[in-house]
């Protein structure tokens, strides 16, 4: 099978449908597994408890920083505040003590930045991996749950920041040999994008202003995330590809590597689906967050509009990251 996440149709068929059919029913469960949903949600006392889990498998440099942001972003996308994170580190036999120390330093320093506690986990050297793999589970809380599948017909689809920031940073850090000849200033700017991968601030704004749905953009890129929010809500979507903002460093690096930035892993960007797009964009920009309307929720069709060209918005395939 192809490297990367299972295709959504296969994920639904052989993973999610059996789980939902056979899982024990509990009255505390507010949000069950679903394609495109960022979190599970449990009603526990006065708060809604949010849980999410994600591995980091496609990067080497900055793996600790990525692990914290990618997991806490899921909580923010569901309208919550991340509280704590648990980390399982599977490390190859040839790793050094200094390399382990660097991963741990990145973990706790990034967790401190987003006010999240590291609660524990597991650390193991194993020949089952040939590079470090971190798998994290994060817990959060909220008073108001915002599902990924809450989009309503007529809503605007707002994208924060820029497409493919995470993928650009990973390429700049891990694929130096393939990027020889690219201006060093471009490479350094690309590496610094790993400092901008949290979406907690925009999650707070979206929650406060009544977003109908939010979804952080990960594997499959911005086009994959747009398809997921539509599928999750059972609606259609028009995506205006020509309006999706792409940084110069992303365009140059992706062109050199022959990948599509709109299908490249994009943590650091969030989709916010709402009816009050002008108010939402003004609030985001007052927090220093770039925000752009890149689509609209419609009844049935799932399409990409690129100036005068119209094409279907397909189910996301293997992320462009794994092609390089």
């Amino acid at each position: 099978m192809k490297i990367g996440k299972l295709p959504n149709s296969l994920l639904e068929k052989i993973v999610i449908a059996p789980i939902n059919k056979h899982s024990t029913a509990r009255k505390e469960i507010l949000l069950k597994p679903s394609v495109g949903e960022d979190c599970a949600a449990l009603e526990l006392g006065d708060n809604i408890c949010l849980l999410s889990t994600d591995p980091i498998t496609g990067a080497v440099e900055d793996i600790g920083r990525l692990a914290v942001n990618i997991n806490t972003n899921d909580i923010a996308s569901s309208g919550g505040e991340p509280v704590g994170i648990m980390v399982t580190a599977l490390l190859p036999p040839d790793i050094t003590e200094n390399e382990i120390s660097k991963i741990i330093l990145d973990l706790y320093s990034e967790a401190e930045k987003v006010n999240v506690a590291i609660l524990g986990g597991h650390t193991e050297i194993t020949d089952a991996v040939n590079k470090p793999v971190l798998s994290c589970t994060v817990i959060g809380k909220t008073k108001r749950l915002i599902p990924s599948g809450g989009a309503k017909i007529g809503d605007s689809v707002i994208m924060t920041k820029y497409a493919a920031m995470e993928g650009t940073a990973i390429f700049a850090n891990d694929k130096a040999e393939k990027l020889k000849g690219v201006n060093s200033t471009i490479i350094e700017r690309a590496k610094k994008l790993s400092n901008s991968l949290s979406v907690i601030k925009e999650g707070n704004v979206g929650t406060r202003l009544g977003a109908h749905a939010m979804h952080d953009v990960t594997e499959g890129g911005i086009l994959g995330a747009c398809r997921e929010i539509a599928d999750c809500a059972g609606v259609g979507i028009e995506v205006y590809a020509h309006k999706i903002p792409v940084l110069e460093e992303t365009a140059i690096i992706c062109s050199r590597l022959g990948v599509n930035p709109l299908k490249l892993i994009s943590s650091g960007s969030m989709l916010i689906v709402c009816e009050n797009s002008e108010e939402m964009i003004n609030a985001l920009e007052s927090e220093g967050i770039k925000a752009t309307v890149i689509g609209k929720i419609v009844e049935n069709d799932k399409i990409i509009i690129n100036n005068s060209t119209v094409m279907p918005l397909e189910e996301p395939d293997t992320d462009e990251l794994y092609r390089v």
Side-chain angles (χ1 to χ4, degrees):
M1 298 184 76
K2 292 181 180 179
I3 292 174
K5 293 196 302 184
L6 279 179
N8 287 346
S9 56
L10 188 59
L11 179 68
E12 174 65 34
K13 177 183 176 183
I14 68 172
V15 178
I16 292 177
I19 286 174
N20 285 333
K21 180 179 179 180
H22 298 291
S23 286
T24 301
R26 298 278 313 201
K27 60 183 175 57
E28 299 92 344
I29 298 172
L30 299 176
L31 198 59
K32 297 193 297 184
S34 174
V35 170
E37 280 296 353
D38 292 309
C39 292
L42 309 175
E43 189 171 34
L44 298 176
D46 293 334
N47 281 298
I48 296 171
C49 174
L50 300 172
L51 296 152
S52 185
T53 185
D54 263 311
I56 303 295
T57 59
V60 177
E61 285 294 318
D62 287 336
I63 187 171
R65 181 183 295 177
L66 290 169
V68 171
N69 282 314
I70 286 167
N71 281 276
T72 55
N73 284 353
D74 282 343
I75 300 296
S77 297
S78 295
E81 174 191 356
V83 174
I85 189 168
M86 301 190 75
V87 183
T88 295
L90 303 178
L91 308 171
D94 60 352
I95 199 168
T96 66
E97 286 188 27
N98 285 341
E99 288 170 331
I100 297 173
S101 294
K102 170 66 163 54
I103 291 172
I104 301 305
L105 171 63
D106 285 349
L107 280 167
Y108 71 69
S109 61
E110 199 67 21
E112 186 177 34
K113 287 181 187 176
V114 295
N115 194 32
V116 168
I118 296 180
L119 302 174
H122 177 80
T123 307
E124 178 178 334
I125 308 297
T126 173
D127 60 7
V129 299
N130 56 24
K131 63 182 180 181
V133 172
L134 298 185
S135 183
C136 300
T137 298
V138 63
I139 185 168
K141 63 179 182 177
T142 187
K143 297 289 188 183
R144 176 177 179 248
L145 175 63
I146 301 180
S148 297
K152 301 179 186 302
I153 294 170
D155 282 350
S156 297
V157 180
I158 295 170
M159 169 188 168
T160 67
K161 302 191 186 103
Y162 300 90
M165 292 169 58
E166 180 187 2
T168 303
I170 291 173
F171 286 150
N173 279 302
D174 292 353
K175 301 298 177 186
E177 285 295 315
K178 293 180 179 289
L179 294 173
K180 282 184 176 178
V182 175
N183 185 286
S184 60
T185 301
I186 293 292
I187 297 297
E188 290 308 308
R189 277 167 34 194
K191 288 180 178 179
K192 289 178 181 177
L193 292 176
S194 62
N195 296 321
S196 304
L197 301 185
S198 175
V199 297
I200 291 175
K201 285 175 67 176
E202 41 259 72
N204 290 338
V205 173
T207 302
R208 187 177 76 245
L209 292 185
H212 291 159
M214 299 193 293
H215 191 38
D216 67 315
V217 187
T218 53
E219 280 194 41
I222 188 68
L223 295 183
C226 286
R227 174 65 190 246
E228 286 180 347
I229 62 168
D231 285 348
C232 206
V235 295
I237 188 170
E238 296 176 352
V239 181
Y240 313 136
H242 55 284
K243 294 186 177 182
I244 296 174
V246 178
L247 289 165
E248 179 189 22
E249 50 265 43
T250 295
I252 290 172
I253 287 173
C254 287
S255 177
R256 173 62 65 94
L257 297 175
V259 301
N260 183 345
L262 306 190
K263 297 181 178 181
L264 178 60
I265 192 166
S266 295
S267 291
S269 178
M270 175 184 273
L271 294 181
I272 300 176
V273 183
C274 63
E275 58 185 349
N276 53 335
S277 60
E278 185 175 350
E279 180 186 14
M280 189 72 73
I281 287 174
N282 288 339
L284 289 164
E285 292 184 344
S286 72
E287 294 284 342
I289 300 166
K290 180 178 176 61
T292 309
V293 173
I294 63 153
K296 183 178 180 179
I297 300 299
V298 296
E299 189 167 354
N300 292 311
D301 294 336
K302 299 178 178 72
I303 58 173
I304 302 168
I305 300 171
N306 194 355
N307 294 312
S308 59
T309 303
V310 179
M311 63 191 75
L313 176 61
E314 303 288 357
E315 177 182 292
D317 199 356
T318 299
D319 193 279
E320 296 284 87
L321 183 72
Y322 299 109
R323 293 183 52 208
V324 180

